Amino acid sequence: MAVMLATGLWGLDRGGMWGDESVTFQVAQRTVPQIWRLLHDVDAVHGLYYLFMHAVLALHPDEVVLRLPSVCAATATAGLVAALGVRLAGPRVGLAAGALYAITPMAGHYAQEGRSYALVAGGVAGATLLLLRAVEGAGARAWWGYGTVVALTCALHELAVPVLGAHALTLALLRVPRRLWSGWGRAAGAAALLLLPLVWVSQGQAGQVSWLVPPGWDRVDRLARNFAPGPAGPVFWGASLLMVLGLRERRTAAVAVPLLLVPPGILMAVSQVRPLYHDRYVLYALAGASLLAAAGAGRVGRALERVLTRVPVGGWPVSGVGLRGRFGAPRVRALVGVTGVLALVGTFLTQLPVHRQDRSAAHRPDNLAVVSELAVRRMRPGDPVLFVPSVGRLAALAYPKGFRRVRDIALRESAPRSGTLWGREATPGELRRRLASVDRVWVVAEAHVLNPRRPPADPVERTKLTVLGKEFTVREEHTRDGVVLRLHVRRQPGGTPPGGQAGTPPDVPAGDPRGAATTARPVPRSGAPRAPRRRRGRW
């Protein structure tokens, strides 16, 4: 838990939220009636999480506070994974399982996300521990706790429901008596009944994940590498070997294998017909990988102890006198334990560049703080601004300082009042009339949207691009982290923009730096061209 807490707090304030985090940030700051209204049309799957974050951000609306619940949840999850390992195979396996979970880059990534996935992982780990307690004879009270935790976890994100299938397979592998099946069935059934209203509402909002595609074998390979302490090289193959060895530990494997394979398997199978799969939706399955690898490491440790008891002392083969006889069993176990700790430290150091890269805001899909900073530097008071697509308005909602002095020319009704994520925009006809009244407009756009060969399906978005292409010309362009900020000025019959001299914005005094025609395209930090970013869905 200490390792996970330190990893989660490291670089927590990375200097910017990305799109999904900004949704959490701005929705959680609305009133409870406004949140409730929003959930009727969108994001019902995150409703409980938004209400929880509403209470958290009431203390202090800040990026660090936004991510602190995920850090705490990841810390608790590491402890719960360790507790599972202790209950299944002893203290050393428990320590190794919790530490492996804590140093895995995927766990560290979602420990620093202002979304619900780390909390869901903690809930699943807690429910699995309660399942084991019930199986070991803790009584009916354990089933009540199990059902409550499962219901709350699935309410945080309903795609945690496949964990019930994993737990059912665990019971089958453990060959529990019929009375335990009966207790589990009642608890799972009650949780499922409580979730039916949420499932019914969210089915009507499935368009939010229309960007997902059926997963192929490449996604299976990617998930396997995400679940390992390192995505490639000796660390990956070493962890894979330990997981194979862990299959020999039947009791641990009965819990870890279903948790590792069943939820991703169910979602990937369903996604062949109706895409619902994404790696972050099955973060909670990572606990199974850590438990299985730790069980394999425990098996290796015991084998190493047996070998050391037969090692001759003093360089001469003395019959029956090994390290155990010379130093005692506790010292041999301590030597093996220190070796294991050094292996964990070496694994973490090997993956340190991956962890360090993940602490950069540039490693997320986008950085809305950068958009706001560009707006502060380039826009003048009263300038009209147009977001293409409208989801780009999240930058103004998350960082209003950069857009406080400008006017959103397409906005008809604000996001909180309209019960939407980023507000309602004017109709195509009204938008044309509004754009006809201005000679210059700033456009905040995602780079991939500006591709003329891929016109958007939404009529309002098509109207924006059509009017800009026919009636305006680009005066300035600034690109940063996949977001383009452009100044468009109206075309004149003679081809000269308003203001007289081409290349000079209207109403800008001579010598003003804003009057220079610029096209700023910074080279990415890596030196390689940046791939176009694809907007992630709200789920």
Side-chain angles (χ1 to χ4, degrees):
M1 291 179 70
V3 172
M4 186 73 257
L5 179 62
T7 305
L9 292 176
W10 170 31
L12 189 61
D13 186 8
R14 57 178 174 267
M17 293 180 285
W18 71 284
D20 282 11
E21 283 189 314
S22 73
V23 171
T24 301
F25 189 72
Q26 57 106 353
V27 170
Q29 293 184 78
R30 300 182 188 183
T31 65
V32 172
Q34 287 175 337
I35 296 175
W36 182 250
R37 181 185 176 189
L38 170 76
L39 301 181
H40 285 76
D41 296 321
V42 69
D43 263 3
V45 69
H46 290 303
L48 180 61
Y49 177 66
Y50 288 154
L51 292 172
F52 168 69
M53 292 305 297
H54 173 77
V56 172
L57 292 182
L59 302 175
H60 183 64
D62 178 76
E63 290 179 38
V64 173
V65 176
L66 173 73
R67 298 173 185 136
L68 275 178
S70 294
V71 175
C72 295
T75 301
T77 305
L80 290 167
V81 171
L84 281 167
V86 170
R87 187 171 289 267
L88 290 167
R92 287 196 298 181
V93 171
L95 176 62
L100 281 171
Y101 186 92
I103 65 174
T104 300
M106 187 179 188
H109 178 91
Y110 288 105
Q112 297 196 329
E113 285 272 287
R115 299 297 277 175
S116 64
Y117 309 113
L119 279 75
V120 172
V124 168
T128 306
L129 185 59
L130 288 170
L131 178 73
L132 278 182
R133 290 186 59 192
V135 167
E136 293 172 357
R141 184 176 299 179
W143 288 123
W144 278 103
Y146 171 81
T148 301
V149 173
V150 166
L152 287 174
T153 300
C154 295
L156 280 171
H157 201 290
E158 67 186 61
L159 292 185
V161 170
V163 76
L164 292 175
H167 289 168
L169 181 56
T170 292
L171 295 178
L173 292 173
L174 291 176
R175 298 179 181 179
V176 299
R178 183 176 298 178
R179 63 179 179 81
L180 292 179
W181 277 105
S182 177
W184 176 82
R186 288 194 298 270
L193 284 175
L194 291 173
L195 289 171
L196 282 178
L198 173 62
V199 174
W200 181 74
V201 172
S202 63
Q203 289 308 301
Q205 302 174 3
Q208 289 183 265
V209 290
S210 59
W211 58 277
L212 291 172
V213 297
W217 288 109
D218 59 323
R219 301 306 296 269
V220 177
D221 177 72
R222 172 179 167 180
L223 181 65
R225 295 183 181 278
N226 283 339
F227 276 5
V235 172
F236 172 75
W237 293 110
S240 301
L241 179 59
L242 289 177
M243 291 172 67
V244 172
L245 293 174
L247 294 174
R248 300 292 300 274
E249 303 293 323
R250 294 182 58 185
R251 182 173 166 81
T252 304
V255 175
V257 173
L259 188 58
L260 172 64
L261 298 182
V262 171
I266 290 176
L267 283 185
M268 286 186 178
V270 171
S271 295
Q272 302 307 313
V273 179
R274 183 177 183 179
L276 289 174
Y277 173 81
H278 193 279
D279 292 354
R280 59 192 176 193
Y281 302 158
V282 293
L283 170 67
Y284 55 86
L286 172 61
S290 300
L291 284 168
L292 204 56
R299 194 173 185 86
V300 170
R302 290 192 297 273
L304 187 58
E305 286 182 9
R306 288 194 296 270
V307 169
L308 289 177
T309 60
R310 300 181 179 91
V311 173
V313 178
W316 294 93
V318 181
S319 177
V321 182
L323 289 184
R324 184 188 295 270
R326 177 69 176 272
F327 298 110
R331 292 190 179 183
V332 172
R333 285 197 297 268
L335 177 63
V336 173
V338 169
T339 303
V341 170
L342 291 176
L344 287 169
V345 172
T347 299
F348 179 75
L349 293 177
T350 301
Q351 303 307 320
L352 193 59
V354 178
H355 286 280
R356 185 181 293 113
Q357 183 185 37
D358 201 50
R359 268 73 190 159
S360 168
H363 195 63
R364 261 52 180 188
D366 46 38
N367 184 357
L368 303 186
V370 170
V371 180
S372 181
E373 291 170 4
L374 280 173
V376 168
R377 291 200 302 266
R378 308 307 304 181
M379 296 183 188
R380 304 184 306 191
D383 274 351
V385 61
L386 188 67
F387 295 96
V388 183
S390 57
V391 67
R393 190 172 288 108
L394 289 174
L397 293 170
Y399 297 98
K401 178 181 177 181
F403 299 90
R404 192 167 291 145
R405 302 179 303 167
V406 300
R407 57 190 178 101
D408 190 336
I409 196 169
L411 186 64
R412 184 178 64 186
E413 190 176 11
S414 69
R417 292 187 60 185
S418 64
T420 61
L421 290 177
W422 44 80
R424 298 192 190 278
E425 296 195 326
T427 63
E430 176 63 23
L431 182 58
R432 287 180 183 274
R433 288 191 291 272
R434 292 184 182 186
L435 288 173
S437 66
V438 298
D439 290 329
R440 54 184 273 146
V441 59
W442 286 97
V443 174
V444 178
E446 296 178 1
H448 68 90
V449 177
L450 301 176
N451 186 351
R453 292 174 294 182
R454 298 175 60 186
D458 185 86
V460 176
E461 303 301 335
R462 286 202 307 270
T463 300
K464 294 176 185 177
L465 296 180
T466 299
V467 173
L468 289 173
K470 291 182 177 180
E471 302 180 18
F472 291 81
T473 185
V474 178
R475 172 68 59 80
E476 296 181 22
E477 179 176 307
H478 310 272
T479 304
R480 184 81 177 271
D481 291 344
V483 177
V484 178
L485 179 66
R486 283 180 175 176
L487 174 61
H488 289 248
V489 296
R490 185 170 297 280
R491 299 177 186 271
Q492 294 299 302
T496 304
Q501 183 179 356
T504 305
D507 307 322
V508 177
D512 192 309
R514 291 175 302 205
T518 62
T519 303
R521 295 186 177 91
V523 178
R525 294 180 179 88
S526 63
R530 185 183 297 278
R533 297 185 184 272
R534 183 175 182 180
R535 168 60 56 186
R536 303 291 183 103
R538 298 276 69 76
W539 279 26

